[in-house]
Amino acid sequence: MNPVTLLPFIVLIGAMFLMTRSAKKKQAAAVQMRNEMQPGTGVRTIGGMYATVKEVHDDTVLLEVAPGVHAVYAKNAVGAVLDDEEYNRIVHGDDALDGAIVPDDASSLTEDASDDAAIDLEKKTGDDDAEPTDAKSDKKSEGKTDGEADAK
């Protein structure tokens, strides 16, 4: 066979080898992270829930999801083991990263509106524009019922 025809197969096999190798490295790092869990560390589950590790067993972990509330999870359900500073920042809101205070609403971002140009939200009762109610009922009762048209 010609070496040029074998080149695409060689490249394909090499790419598959590199992809499986990186996936195995990521999987080994995740297993190592889960095995290094200790009671008292903060974790994030794959569902996005933050909890504190209470007990570590072979395949399961006892997590405290709220004060006095414990739940048993599989070790594979732990997505990340967090260091204490990051866990406290996320769960308790301690020590913002940049020290900036973010307002709860946009009121501090807008300028103060003056009360002189207050918006009038009352319904106007202009009798000039309104038709008398008798004229409305006369237009409806010209011998037509709902759904009838003037077409012949």
Side-chain angles (χ1 to χ4, degrees), residues 46-68:
I46 57 174
M49 184 170 51
Y50 293 91
T52 305
V53 177
K54 289 297 176 183
E55 295 177 10
V56 179
H57 301 287
D58 293 335
D59 294 330
T60 60
V61 179
L62 180 67
L63 300 179
E64 184 176 30
V65 296

Side-chain angles (χ1 to χ4, degrees), residues 72-94:
V72 178
Y73 279 82
K75 274 190 177 180
N76 291 337
V78 175
V81 177
L82 308 172
D83 58 352
D84 291 336
E85 181 181 320
E86 183 179 6
Y87 179 76
N88 288 332
R89 181 182 58 80
I90 293 170
V91 174
H92 304 296
D94 296 344

Side-chain angles (χ1 to χ4, degrees), residues 5 9 21 28 40 53-54 59 68 71 79 81 84-85 91 103 105 114 122 132 134 136 138 140 142 145 149:
T5 59
F9 294 111
R21 184 174 166 200
V53 177
K54 289 297 176 183
D59 294 330
V81 177
D84 291 336
E85 181 181 320
V91 174
D105 58 1
S114 63
E122 292 183 16
D134 296 330
K136 288 181 183 177
D138 290 342
K140 277 189 173 180
E142 292 180 1
T145 60

